Amino acid sequence: MSEPIRILGIDPGLRRTGWGLITVTGTRLAFVASGTVTSNGDDDLATRLCSLHEGLTKVVATMLPDEAAVEETFVNKDAQATLKLGHARAVALLVPALAGLPVAEYAANLVKKTVVGAGHAEKDQVGAMVRFLLPKATADTADAADALAIAITHASHRAARMRAATHTAAAGPGAGRIARAVARG
């Protein structure tokens, strides 16, 4: 039997950043905890980012994950909102990286496709599948449920990512650039 791996999923947001922790033992998933880190919308951007950093740092220090996964930024028509989300996402990437954790990134459509089976699933469908896959999950917000979905996605894709990384490293120094170019199409 393989050792359990603790995966922290993070759904970044400037107002609410969801987090969810699961353990993976072989192919078995188990819910550990979830929650939401919030910032005060009346504060300036720097103060809000500090609040997210402090909250996520406490989560990482308390929950002791082995790996982390963060949702990629969804670009919408409002460039200013997308930029602010990018700032929150940077904090979500930085905190686990500073703790020495490997951090994976997943597109929202891949998360939905992995968890629900359709890349354009609705938020309530994602939440329903998270509850089905993790029956003991108690996500207090949709952001926490999304974070659990991100952790589930990482659990599903981590073996393939590790095989690809091992293959790229064994193939030589230029193989990584070639693999990325092929992936881009």
Side-chain angles (χ1 to χ4, degrees):
M1 182 151 222
S2 62
E3 287 290 316
I5 303 294
R6 294 169 68 89
I7 298 173
L8 177 66
I10 302 173
D11 181 32
L14 188 55
R15 186 169 301 157
R16 289 179 310 275
T17 292
W19 62 271
L21 186 72
I22 64 171
T23 58
V24 181
T25 309
T27 58
R28 195 177 130 261
L29 304 175
F31 171 76
V32 176
S34 66
T36 307
V37 176
T38 60
S39 71
N40 185 341
D42 293 331
D43 289 343
D44 61 85
L45 179 60
T47 303
R48 294 177 77 183
L49 294 173
C50 281
S51 296
L52 295 178
H53 182 274
E54 289 169 4
L56 284 176
T57 299
K58 286 179 187 172
V59 169
V60 169
T62 304
M63 295 295 150
L64 302 172
D66 299 307
E67 301 176 10
V70 179
E71 188 172 75
E72 290 180 351
T73 301
F74 176 80
V75 179
N76 57 36
K77 293 177 184 175
D78 183 353
Q80 192 70 351
T82 301
L83 183 59
K84 287 180 180 177
L85 176 58
H87 293 311
R89 190 170 170 284
V91 171
L93 291 166
L94 178 67
V95 169
L98 286 173
L101 302 177
V103 182
E105 302 173 69
Y106 296 97
N109 284 349
L110 179 61
V111 173
K112 292 174 183 179
K113 186 170 179 78
T114 301
V115 175
V116 177
H120 295 286
E122 299 295 323
K123 225 171 192 21
D124 59 335
Q125 291 174 299
V126 173
M129 281 306 296
V130 165
R131 287 188 299 278
F132 177 77
L133 294 169
L134 302 169
K136 295 181 180 178
T138 55
D140 61 346
T141 65
D143 302 297
D146 287 350
L148 288 167
I150 295 160
I152 292 167
T153 299
H154 183 60
S156 177
H157 292 272
R158 69 185 290 277
R161 290 173 68 94
M162 287 174 25
R163 279 193 304 273
T166 302
H167 176 71
T168 300
R177 287 191 304 275
I178 293 168
R180 286 188 295 279
V182 169
R184 284 193 298 270

